[in-house]
Amino acid sequence: MAVERITDCIDIVDERFRYFIPPNTWLERLATGFLWSEGPVWFADTGVLVWSDIPNNRMMRWTEEGVSEFRRPSNFTNGNTRDREGRLVSCEHGSRRVTRTEPDGTITVLAEKFDGKRLNSPNDVVVKSDGSIWFTDPPYGILSDYEGHRADSEIGACNVYRIDPADGGLTVVAGDFDKPNGLCFSPDEKRLYISDTGRSHDAGGAHHIRVFDVAADGRSLSNARVFAEIEPGVSDGFRADTDGNIWTSAGDGVQVFDPDGHMVGRILVPETVANVTFGGARRNRLFITATTSVYAIYVGKTGAQRP
């Protein structure tokens, strides 16, 4: 598949952003033909990008040699990440669970119920350095049959959960969201960022990223406050770089905020962006999943997430 190059895609809001994006870079469309691209995750050991094509009930794989299917059916998988051992951790809308893919390809269920009730539809997931797994659980996979299977919520709430690495126990770390969605830790893991995308089904709904302080024991959150309002669109998924800047999806592309929540610039993308991840040999290539396509751009920052 020929790579399409898109120039004139950088919007400098703050002069500092000139150091975030090399002057001789451009946006590349690596692949297209999907229904809703989401959940990108980079495998540094093999040079592979994996992402979800949710409505098509499959996961895709990209390498420099081309694109192929990674998994079908995928149980309408949405968000993906890797754990401390490099294993794939996924949020499955269709089965309403969080799973781990073992080295031999078998699937281990990490979470599917809370207090005896089925989860809604786990959406996005991150792994902390202590091995704990944190994920959001909005209703997107049960609202219709497009990204999962239509059903009523058994829990009656949209929570953010933590899976304990020692015993697999599931606890609610945040329960006051409308539709919790993307999430990531700051580089020092003292903060956790979580987006609320209530605007997706309510014109007056939330469209911001909140930030929380992480307790010293790494088990709970406090001091919630709004980090940034997203306009246009919502913050579906995002990542932090090693300097603590947040690179988030939005209706106009990728918006970049400094650690204090001030926008410094935008990467304009011709489709609504769902999520991003850093990859490449030096973790300075931003991969962008956006509606029907996957894009990439080299940047002047390094991704904070581990390879």
Side-chain angles (χ1 to χ4, degrees):
M1 180 181 295
V3 173
E4 176 187 353
R5 294 184 178 182
I6 302 171
T7 57
D8 298 324
C9 60
I10 306 303
D11 178 27
I12 298 172
V13 177
D14 184 300
E15 286 298 309
R16 290 176 293 166
F17 197 55
R18 296 187 187 276
Y19 294 90
F20 286 54
I21 304 290
N24 58 345
T25 193
W26 54 79
L27 185 67
E28 301 174 289
R29 192 196 309 257
L30 302 179
T32 192
F34 315 107
L35 280 179
W36 182 241
S37 299
E38 246 282 21
V41 57
W42 176 253
F43 288 77
D45 43 354
T46 55
V48 173
L49 178 76
V50 171
W51 74 95
S52 303
D53 182 12
I54 307 175
N56 279 321
N57 196 18
R58 63 180 180 172
M59 297 170 69
M60 305 300 296
R61 174 197 293 114
W62 174 90
T63 68
E64 294 289 355
E65 286 70 46
V67 178
S68 59
E69 282 192 351
F70 175 79
R71 177 178 295 166
R72 182 202 283 261
S74 65
N75 287 327
F76 297 95
T77 288
N78 187 337
N80 299 282
T81 192
R82 299 181 77 186
D83 68 9
R84 301 295 294 176
E85 288 72 44
R87 297 169 296 188
L88 178 67
V89 178
S90 302
C91 292
E92 300 179 359
H93 276 186
S95 57
R96 300 165 68 170
R97 63 187 188 179
V98 178
T99 63
R100 183 178 65 221
T101 301
E102 307 297 345
D104 63 1
T106 58
I107 304 296
T108 299
V109 178
L110 302 177
E112 58 183 343
K113 291 184 178 181
F114 178 70
D115 283 347
K117 300 175 181 179
R118 295 185 70 188
L119 298 171
N120 297 322
S121 53
N123 188 284
D124 207 351
V125 58
V126 292
V127 178
K128 197 171 178 290
S129 60
D130 63 2
S132 60
I133 298 171
W134 303 59
F135 69 94
T136 57
D137 188 39
Y140 292 114
I142 59 175
L143 291 177
S144 72
D145 293 320
Y146 186 62
E147 294 187 6
H149 306 291
R150 190 174 188 277
D152 294 328
S153 172
E154 295 184 13
I155 293 175
C158 296
N159 299 320
V160 183
Y161 296 94
R162 175 185 182 271
I163 303 175
D164 190 86
D167 60 14
L170 196 63
T171 56
V172 174
V173 292
D176 61 344
F177 282 81
D178 182 1
K179 291 180 174 61
N181 205 316
L183 74 172
C184 80
F185 285 100
S186 60
D188 60 8
E189 297 186 334
K190 293 181 178 180
R191 292 179 169 187
L192 179 67
Y193 300 86
I194 309 171
S195 65
D196 196 329
T197 55
R199 175 190 268 184
S200 65
H201 288 76
D202 177 1
H207 52 103
H208 56 236
I209 299 173
R210 295 165 67 189
V211 60
F212 298 77
D213 294 333
V214 181
D217 64 2
R219 293 175 174 271
S220 60
L221 304 175
S222 64
N223 191 26
R225 63 270 191 200
V226 173
F227 171 74
E229 296 280 354
I230 305 304
E231 189 69 51
V234 295
S235 176
D236 202 340
F238 49 92
R239 295 291 185 272
D241 63 32
T242 53
D243 293 326
N245 304 296
I246 299 297
W247 302 65
T248 179
S249 62
D252 55 359
V254 178
Q255 298 183 359
V256 186
F257 295 85
D258 71 13
D260 294 323
H262 300 125
M263 183 190 290
V264 293
R266 301 182 298 165
I267 302 169
L268 303 176
V269 179
E271 302 180 71
T272 298
V273 173
N275 214 328
V276 301
T277 196
F278 288 94
R282 304 176 70 178
R283 295 210 314 279
N284 65 342
R285 194 176 189 186
L286 188 71
F287 291 94
I288 304 166
T289 50
T291 313
T292 68
S293 305
V294 173
Y295 299 82
I297 186 171
Y298 284 99
V299 300
K301 298 291 182 178
T302 302
Q305 80 260 28
R306 298 160 189 84

